[in-house]
Amino acid sequence: MIALADCNNFYVSCERVFRPSLEGRPVIVLSNNDGCAVARSNEAKELGISMGVPYHQVKKLCERNGVTVLSSNYELYGDMSRRVVSVLSRFASEMEVYSIDESFLNFDGVESPLDLSRRIRETVGRWTGIPISIGLGSTKTLSKLANRLSKKDGAGCLEIRETDLEALAKVEVEDIWGVGRRLGVRLRRIGVRNALGLAEAPTSAIRSVGGVTLERTQRELGGLRCIGMEEMPQPKKNTCSSRSFGKPVTELEDLEEAVANYAVKASCKVRKEGSLASGIQVFLTTNRFSENLPQYANSRTLAFDEPTDDPIRIVTNAKILLRSIYRQGFAYKKAGVILLDLVSSKRSQGLLFEEHGSENRKRFVRSMEQVVATYGPNAGFIGAQGINRSWSMKRESRTPRYTTSWEDLPVVG
């Protein structure tokens, strides 16, 4: 048996842990620059606020109905996710963290998976304050389906077998894990409308629509385990750091600050994974939705002479690439840095006559990371990252970072 533990309305639930007054009230959390709704409480869903809707389209609806509108607080959500995962890991010998709010747990050999799921749900709620739903099935696809139905029915924990035809018939084909809207349209053309129809359809017809991948989904609905557990995430080939600006940026100096920050974040990701970057790409673009303004987009790529994770070297090259593609007279909306062709730091081979990875530089980078980890991101940074950062993305209604920032701790007395 495999269990999928999924946090309910995760971003909203994180906010409610520290603001209990939001319980029972409609709440939405907005995306970068307060653009779209990326999380909604059940009360907000009942008002007809759909996932991903631009905030300006529902602003009046929110004001009329007293909806609490919050900016995304990624630092808080990431830390709360780690706490939930820490609790879940106590209950299963094998676990796969699938996303920030979802984890698969292997319950093979567990005598009463449903009873254990109820205990997990209670423990996570008591220790972290985050409500979760758990779906159980003999395969990952069935556990995903069971989790979806448990949320819909309000059951909290639900087990589905491949023989539960009534349950399979309740799930529309587009809502099956791994199908989606585009494949759903093609499946409906051949008469497949729900999970039961996909499970019972001729394998040859399913393969003609979605290839081996969709056939694997069909077999999983039939109880045949085709997608295994991955305790260790697969190493990435590339990593990207990018954000839309809080306001249009026209000056090269501001763009350099932004790109330097993205380069540092990307190099930090690479270092945590134990990888090195073989190349770097920098891109920037104007706002394509502002049709009354001149448009421009460009990117440039550079291959390093030897793979690196040195943030200073990466920032230096990122700024060189940016200057080569920057053009005056445009209002830029977004820029980003992509580190390319990542390789393991254990298998890298340096150049014979070069010393990019000097021990002094490595000690300096490690020391700076320790300062940041202890005192926060503003305690230590490269000068190229700037201080004021007026280009930063807009988060006008962000709540305090209760668990990751000393400055945001509540004060009593």
Side-chain angles (χ1 to χ4, degrees):
M1 189 67 67
I2 290 178
L4 174 67
D6 186 7
C7 302
N8 300 341
N9 307 323
F10 181 55
Y11 290 178
V12 172
S13 295
C14 290
E15 300 288 356
R16 283 175 166 173
V17 169
F18 299 94
R19 294 180 61 183
S21 61
L22 296 178
E23 289 288 348
R25 294 171 53 187
V27 181
I28 64 172
V29 176
L30 302 179
S31 62
N32 295 342
N33 292 308
D34 296 342
C36 304
V38 293
R40 305 153 296 152
S41 67
N42 291 334
E43 297 80 8
K45 294 176 185 177
E46 291 173 0
L47 293 174
I49 300 175
S50 56
M51 183 68 169
V53 63
Y55 175 57
H56 68 85
Q57 293 183 9
V58 296
K59 184 176 181 179
K60 292 184 179 179
L61 174 66
C62 293
E63 291 172 349
R64 285 196 306 268
N65 293 275
V67 177
T68 300
V69 181
L70 302 173
S71 301
S72 50
N73 189 340
Y74 298 122
E75 297 88 346
L76 173 65
Y77 308 151
D79 187 64
M80 294 301 290
S81 174
R82 287 189 288 272
R83 295 176 185 223
V84 171
V85 168
S86 175
V87 179
L88 292 174
S89 65
R90 297 167 176 259
F91 293 91
S93 58
E94 188 178 11
M95 184 175 76
E96 175 188 342
V97 180
Y98 181 66
S99 68
I100 192 171
D101 60 348
E102 294 178 287
S103 295
F104 288 104
L105 296 91
N106 192 340
F107 279 3
D108 287 349
V110 175
E111 291 185 5
S112 180
L114 205 54
D115 289 342
L116 178 58
S117 297
R118 293 190 183 103
R119 187 151 57 92
I120 292 174
R121 188 166 181 264
E122 180 185 351
T123 304
V124 170
R126 187 169 65 249
W127 289 10
T128 69
I130 302 295
I132 66 171
S133 297
I134 299 179
L136 296 163
S138 54
T139 67
K140 279 186 172 182
T141 304
L142 284 173
S143 68
K144 268 274 197 179
L145 189 145
N147 187 280
R148 185 179 188 86
L149 291 179
S150 71
K151 285 187 174 183
K152 196 171 183 179
D153 299 341
C157 299
L158 183 65
E159 178 182 340
I160 286 184
R161 302 280 181 176
E162 60 273 14
T163 54
D164 294 337
L165 306 185
E166 185 178 347
L168 293 174
K170 290 181 180 179
V171 180
E172 298 294 320
V173 67
E174 296 85 0
D175 296 331
I176 302 171
W177 186 43
V179 176
R181 186 181 305 172
R182 186 173 298 178
L183 270 180
V185 171
R186 298 176 63 185
L187 286 169
R188 285 185 180 274
R189 288 174 184 166
I190 63 171
V192 176
R193 295 178 174 81
N194 51 39
L196 179 59
L198 179 58
E200 295 181 340
T203 300
S204 57
I206 298 304
R207 177 175 283 196
S208 67
V209 171
V212 176
T213 302
L214 188 58
E215 181 184 349
R216 187 165 41 206
T217 298
Q218 182 193 40
R219 292 180 182 274
E220 287 242 326
L221 288 173
L224 181 63
R225 192 175 294 183
C226 301
I227 307 173
M229 299 284 289
E230 295 182 7
E231 289 191 270
M232 293 296 293
Q234 295 297 313
K236 297 177 181 178
K237 298 294 181 66
N238 305 308
T239 190
C240 176
S241 178
S242 174
R243 285 284 187 274
S244 296
F245 302 133
K247 62 180 182 180
V249 175
T250 58
E251 300 300 322
L252 176 60
E253 184 178 350
D254 291 333
L255 286 171
E256 285 181 334
E257 280 189 7
V259 166
N261 277 272
Y262 301 150
V264 170
K265 289 180 181 178
S267 64
C268 185
K269 291 182 188 178
V270 167
R271 290 171 62 80
K272 286 181 179 179
E273 295 172 359
S275 300
L276 302 173
S278 302
I280 182 174
Q281 181 181 90
V282 174
F283 65 88
L284 78 169
T285 180
T286 55
N287 188 351
R288 60 188 177 90
F289 296 106
S290 299
E291 298 178 355
N292 59 322
L293 296 176
Q295 300 295 311
Y296 174 73
N298 205 347
S299 65
R300 187 147 296 177
T301 303
L302 172 73
F304 295 129
D305 49 11
E306 68 171 318
T308 184
D309 63 358
D310 182 351
I312 298 176
R313 185 180 175 204
I314 291 172
V315 166
T316 301
N317 284 280
K319 291 175 68 175
I320 292 172
L321 293 178
L322 174 67
R323 291 173 190 143
S324 71
I325 60 176
Y326 170 75
R327 300 292 181 270
Q328 287 185 334
F330 295 96
Y332 295 101
K333 177 64 176 177
K334 186 176 184 179
V337 173
I338 305 176
L339 297 183
L340 306 167
D341 300 328
L342 303 184
V343 298
S344 172
S345 58
K346 297 178 181 178
R347 295 182 302 195
S348 66
Q349 182 173 347
L351 296 178
L352 182 60
F353 299 109
E354 295 288 342
E355 245 190 314
H356 286 306
S358 67
E359 192 58 39
N360 286 339
R361 177 72 67 83
K362 291 179 180 179
R363 283 200 297 268
F364 170 76
V365 171
R366 284 197 297 267
S367 298
M368 187 173 69
E369 288 181 342
Q370 289 173 0
V371 169
V372 170
T374 304
Y375 300 105
N378 293 328
F381 53 88
I382 298 173
Q385 294 179 252
I387 298 175
N388 295 325
R389 304 177 191 177
S390 59
W391 46 266
S392 296
M393 70 176 180
K394 183 172 63 176
R395 291 195 286 180
E396 294 179 348
S397 302
R398 179 182 64 78
T399 52
R401 296 159 295 180
Y402 299 100
T403 63
T404 60
S405 172
W406 289 107
E407 297 173 355
D408 290 349
L409 281 177
V411 178
V412 179

